[in-house]
Amino acid sequence: MTGSGGPLADDDKPQGQEPTTTPGDGEQRRGQMRYQDPESTAPREPTLAEQRARIAAEKRREEKQAAELAEAERKTRTRRRVMIGGGATVGVVALVAAFYTAAQPEEYTQTCTAPNPQGQLVAVDDEMCTEGYAQSHGGHYNHSTGMFFMPFFIGGSPIGPPVQYRHSYTPSGTAAPTVGQPVSSPNFTKPEGATIKDSKGSTVSRGGFGINNKSGSGS
């Protein structure tokens, strides 16, 4: 069929032109997104690659947690060992210190004493409590009592009973009386196993472990 404008096709459209169509229901144009209702649309199943990636990530997370827990336990064990070791060291040191302290003999200062004219006991020079000094001054030393006896002279003649000299022992930590000072609490018994020093600090008798090593003249 022909017309004034040229030949026409069977659909009454000019030849050379594509027929135009209008998309109907359910058809989608190119470049247009389809809307999905979240309430009615089923979620897409993850692909195999996504599933493997998810499993690998979960495994790495579990391995990290296990490593952190193991490190925390290791630090706790190390700290406990250090504390136990420190306590054992302190215990050994304390035990050694206690043994050393117990092994050390007590120290005493011996002071020569004699009554003054008023009858008060006072400290006198150390040499007056030596056997040689007593003998050189007409006196003597009594080994059983530990006392030195010397006569008291006036005008070259002895008068009255002899003067008694003897050692008094003062424990370490207590000030021993000096010459001329009164002896308020005398201790005339020589301590067994103790180190004895004179008023000048020189060792007269060295003790230790319950053994009394006697030296020199004294009570």
Side-chain angles (χ1 to χ4, degrees):
M1 182 176 180
T2 61
S4 60
L8 297 175
D10 293 340
D11 56 359
D12 299 333
K13 296 294 183 179
Q15 292 183 358
Q17 295 183 2
E18 294 294 332
T20 58
T21 60
T22 301
D25 294 340
E27 296 182 356
Q28 183 179 4
R29 296 179 181 178
R30 292 182 179 179
Q32 184 177 4
M33 298 181 61
R34 179 179 298 176
Y35 173 76
Q36 294 182 347
D37 187 358
E39 296 182 358
S40 61
T41 304
R44 178 180 62 84
E45 292 293 331
T47 64
L48 181 60
E50 291 174 341
Q51 293 178 9
R52 290 177 177 174
R54 185 177 302 171
I55 293 174
E58 182 66 20
K59 184 177 180 181
R60 288 193 299 269
R61 185 182 66 82
E62 292 177 354
E63 291 176 349
K64 182 179 179 181
Q65 290 180 347
E68 291 175 350
L69 180 60
E71 178 64 15
E73 291 178 351
R74 185 190 67 80
K75 291 181 178 179
T76 300
R77 288 195 302 268
T78 301
R79 184 163 52 250
R80 187 181 299 115
R81 288 172 183 170
V82 170
M83 294 177 64
I84 293 174
T89 301
V90 172
V92 171
V93 171
L95 181 62
V96 172
F99 175 78
Y100 181 79
T101 301
Q104 294 301 305
E106 292 183 287
E107 288 189 359
Y108 286 80
T109 300
Q110 70 176 17
T111 303
C112 185
T113 66
N116 62 12
Q118 289 75 34
Q120 184 181 23
L121 192 67
V122 296
V124 297
D125 195 276
D126 287 342
E127 71 171 352
M128 302 179 108
C129 284
T130 60
E131 191 170 3
Y133 184 86
Q135 292 177 353
S136 65
H137 287 74
H140 68 278
Y141 171 63
N142 189 321
H143 291 271
S144 60
T145 62
M147 299 180 64
F148 301 85
F149 297 91
M150 284 179 283
F152 183 74
F153 291 91
I154 291 182
S157 299
I159 62 171
V163 180
Q164 300 177 1
Y165 296 82
R166 64 192 309 184
H167 283 124
S168 176
Y169 299 92
T170 304
S172 177
T174 303
T178 59
V179 175
Q181 289 185 336
V183 182
S184 57
S185 299
N187 173 28
F188 300 122
T189 302
K190 187 175 183 178
E192 292 293 332
T195 295
I196 308 299
K197 295 186 176 183
D198 60 20
S199 61
K200 297 180 178 62
S202 299
T203 300
V204 177
S205 176
R206 188 180 301 279
F209 300 101
I211 300 174
N212 184 22
N213 299 322
K214 297 183 179 180
S215 64
S217 298
S219 57

